[in-house]
């Protein structure tokens, strides 16, 4: 995000057709550069949440 609050993308979005998008913005807490990359932590947390959700669905008999 720049000083004016405008979003800056690391790379262009790829989509089948142009149109409006919804964006989820996650703000990082200031960290030391020596700490691990927060993007890696986020990916790990998403994977854990997905696994938890899949396990709950399997226990409830909600499989495909």
């Amino acid at each position: 995000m720049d000083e004016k609050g405008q979003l800056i993308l690391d790379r262009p979005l790829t989509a089948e057709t142009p149109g409006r998008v919804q964006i989820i913005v996650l703000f990082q807490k200031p960290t030391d550069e020596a700490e691990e990359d927060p993007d890696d932590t986020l990916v790990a947390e998403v994977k854990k949440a997905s696994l938890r959700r899949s396990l709950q669905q399997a226990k409830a008999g909600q499989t495909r």
Side-chain angles (χ1 to χ4, degrees), residues 13-61:
L13 297 175
T14 55
E16 300 270 328
T17 57
R20 293 178 60 105
V21 297
Q22 293 180 340
I23 304 289
I24 297 173
V25 179
L26 303 173
F27 289 93
Q28 296 180 22
K29 294 180 183 177
T31 60
D32 293 335
E33 289 186 30
E35 293 183 28
E36 72 179 62
D37 185 351
D39 285 339
D40 293 341
T41 302
L42 178 61
V43 169
E45 292 302 315
V46 169
K47 287 180 181 178
K48 286 180 192 176
S50 177
L51 288 172
R52 277 191 227 105
R53 191 169 41 254
S54 295
L55 180 59
Q56 289 171 346
Q57 288 173 341
K59 285 181 178 179

